[in-house]
Amino acid sequence: MVKYATMAIRILSDQLASQIAAGEVVERPASVVKELVENAIDAGAKTINIEIRGGGRQLIQIADDGTGISSDEIETAFKRHATSKLAASEDLTAIETLGFRGEALAAIAAVSQVTAVSRANGEIAGTRLMLEGGDLTSRESVGAPNGTVIAVANLFFNVPARLKFLKSVTTEKKHIDEIITRYALAYPEIRFRLTHDNRITFQSSGGTLLDVLTAIYGAETAKQLLELRGNIRQPGEEDSLTGTTSASRSEIQVSGYIGPPGLNWSNRSQITLYVNGRWIKDNRLNYAVIQAYHTLLPVGRYPMAAAFITMPAESVDVNVHPAKTEVRFRQANAVFGALQRTIRQTLISDSPIPHATHFTSVIDQGWGGGTGGRSLGRQADPSMPGELDLKWGGEMVTMTGDGLDGQPAEPGDGGPKLPIMRVVGQVGASYIITEGPDGLYLIDQHAAHERVLYEKFMAEWEEKQDLEGMVSQGLVGGEAVHLSPAQSTLLDEQLDLMEKIGFQIEPFGPNAYMIRSIPAMLVKVDPARALQDVVEDLERGDAPLQGKIEERIILRVCKSAAVKAGQSLSFQEMEAMIRQLEGCRNPHTCPHGRPTLIHLSATQLAKEFGRT
Ligand code: ADP
Ligand code: MG
């Protein structure tokens, strides 16, 4: 421990200052990879080769065919705050390159042994520099192809404290893989090749985004992905709950691909977000993606998304942290809304019906011969509603990406979500069998009824609260609460909206409020907690209480869903159920995210019967 009184104030040595600054840019091998790849992209490279040894501790070498660095500038490039990407302070408000701080090369050189070879376009020879801990150790003219190769050896050799924090080689490799795949997605036209200890682990061939997704996830998964189609909402259209209108919404565009609900993971690692071509980390926006899948995914499962948000460069500040992965938006809520809505609408209009992937024929199960073919009409044991003569691949079902029977779904909310179906009968007192234009559908009657009720209750609620606002309940004597300054600012802006949803709140000193009444639906909650929750909804850009409302409606659905598994239905009842399901915005899953129906196509049936 350094005692504060024993040292005089002095300016840090250059080397120490560089090491301290380097700490923010270079946290681990993957950060070096990120910075060098960004430089190659900024230099207009078409091909970027990344070679890693020992998880990046021994060597990180990145070669590009970009513009190169001229021989009279290459030494400067390694100085702190040296950049060719920013000239005047106005440039900071509209950054279009990935780099701009002029820190990376200096920071990397300060904590490793660097060899840089570069030849600029138009120069006859290249230059090779060697640096150790930031000090130049050699410089010579060499023959070299156009472009730049930077080799970073023995990272943190002079910062033992950092070395100790590095994780296993496998972990560091994984971080590097993540960086490369993320940049390959953002720049599909660039050819990337990643080699770990002489083994190629990832390669993209310079094509479309879907090509890169295929390289990462494999063809089977890639073909299931749904393409995001811009910001479907019209400019100036009003947000029904938050009541905000903004012309600038139309300037926020969202594109990319998302997974259908049937593709899901146990964590958020497959959600990747980009703003103006820059990969960013933003928990709030991750949440916007997850929220778009609300009631479509089972609890605790997360979707896949590679979403590209574009907006005018001056609407986003990327100069928040040296690593440049955090950004600040001028209109964070508009960005949240655009992302969430685009994904939601794509899901609603394009999500396919789960497809039975493996059909085990009755003959395979040994019921051939005498009773052959009668299994579908067999009286199932109602205590075992799940016992069917079909087996589905994957956990329960897997999805196929071919939309609804080949009908292209319409953008927005208008297209049909289900084909026209004819009821054939019921099986196991649990499933309705229907015939559609392309084969057979099995509908889980209980799940379908839950979906129908859920949408009905939601619609009722939305209508009610538009007309009369929400029921409010007075508090005897009121309750005082304190909020953070940021939360108070937000609340002050939204007092009208708060009133609409049933909160009566009065300012009560700096950052303090007196709650006079709360929404009746929250009477069981501590009023201060209730207000806090709602303010947090606002902070995330959510419609306040939406989550609570949905939760309550789902509970109500569970209580009132009358049609259970194990209940025989008349033909009329089944028909009514199918018609109601057809009327749903989102008929493919129940509100808990389980599928309501599965599809067995005519082709699949023909195949199973050996007719093709
Ligand atoms: P920044 O990227 O923020 O400008 P860096 O320290 O990463 O800062 O790089 C400093 C400068 O070196 C860049 O502005 C660029 O002019 C040059 N440079 C770095 N890497 C390359 C490269 N691969 N190809 C061409 N020029 C490069
Ligand atoms: Mg850079």
Side-chain angles (χ1 to χ4, degrees), residues 415-422 452 575-587:
K417 317 294 182 339
L418 287 182
I420 293 169
M421 297 187 284
R422 179 179 72 82
V452 168
E575 294 239 281
M577 174 81 73
I578 300 304
R579 297 293 93 84
Q580 286 175 351
L581 190 62
E582 281 169 0
C584 284
R585 281 162 60 88
N586 225 325

Side-chain angles (χ1 to χ4, degrees), residues 425-448:
Q426 192 185 20
V427 64
S430 299
Y431 306 96
I432 301 168
I433 309 169
T434 66
E435 185 192 9
D438 179 29
L440 173 76
Y441 295 80
L442 274 168
I443 291 112
D444 179 326
Q445 61 194 43
H446 181 64

Side-chain angles (χ1 to χ4, degrees), residues 35-36 39-40 42-43 64 67-69 77 82-85 99-106 148 150 324:
E35 293 298 334
L36 297 180
N39 281 348
D42 281 344
D64 69 58
T67 56
I69 313 173
T83 180
S84 56
K85 301 168 194 173
F100 56 92
R101 299 174 59 105
E103 282 177 337
L105 288 187
T148 306
I150 299 206
K324 300 164 291 178

Side-chain angles (χ1 to χ4, degrees), residues 162-236:
R162 264 299 150 104
L163 260 185
K164 270 193 248 146
F165 278 101
L166 289 187
K167 300 280 190 298
S168 68
V169 168
T170 324
T171 306
E172 298 303 335
K173 269 180 165 172
K174 202 179 114 231
H175 283 281
I176 294 171
D177 293 346
E178 261 173 37
I179 294 283
I180 297 304
T181 50
R182 293 197 155 137
Y183 279 89
L185 284 171
Y187 296 89
E189 67 284 0
I190 298 178
R191 282 190 297 275
F192 285 86
R193 193 179 69 204
L194 172 63
T195 315
H196 280 290
D197 303 310
N198 297 322
R199 221 169 53 84
I200 297 177
T201 59
F202 174 77
Q203 204 160 7
S204 69
S205 53
T208 63
L209 176 55
L210 198 55
D211 294 334
V212 182
L213 286 164
T214 308
I216 297 171
Y217 291 99
E220 224 7 79
T221 300
K223 76 168 191 232
Q224 299 179 47
L225 303 180
L226 310 174
E227 188 173 5
L228 296 173
R229 295 199 223 95
N231 184 1
I232 303 161
R233 163 194 284 260
Q234 295 304 306

Side-chain angles (χ1 to χ4, degrees), residues 25 35-45 62-70 73-74 76-86 97-108 117-120 147-150 324:
V25 181
E35 293 298 334
L36 297 180
V37 165
E38 287 190 351
N39 281 348
I41 295 170
D42 281 344
I62 302 208
D64 69 58
D65 58 356
T67 56
I69 313 173
S70 67
E73 287 184 330
I74 189 161
T76 317
F78 283 90
K79 300 238 155 73
R80 278 172 71 198
H81 313 303
T83 180
S84 56
K85 301 168 194 173
L86 207 61
T97 47
L98 294 171
F100 56 92
R101 299 174 59 105
E103 282 177 337
L105 288 187
I108 293 164
V117 178
S118 191
R119 195 182 111 204
T148 306
V149 184
I150 299 206
K324 300 164 291 178

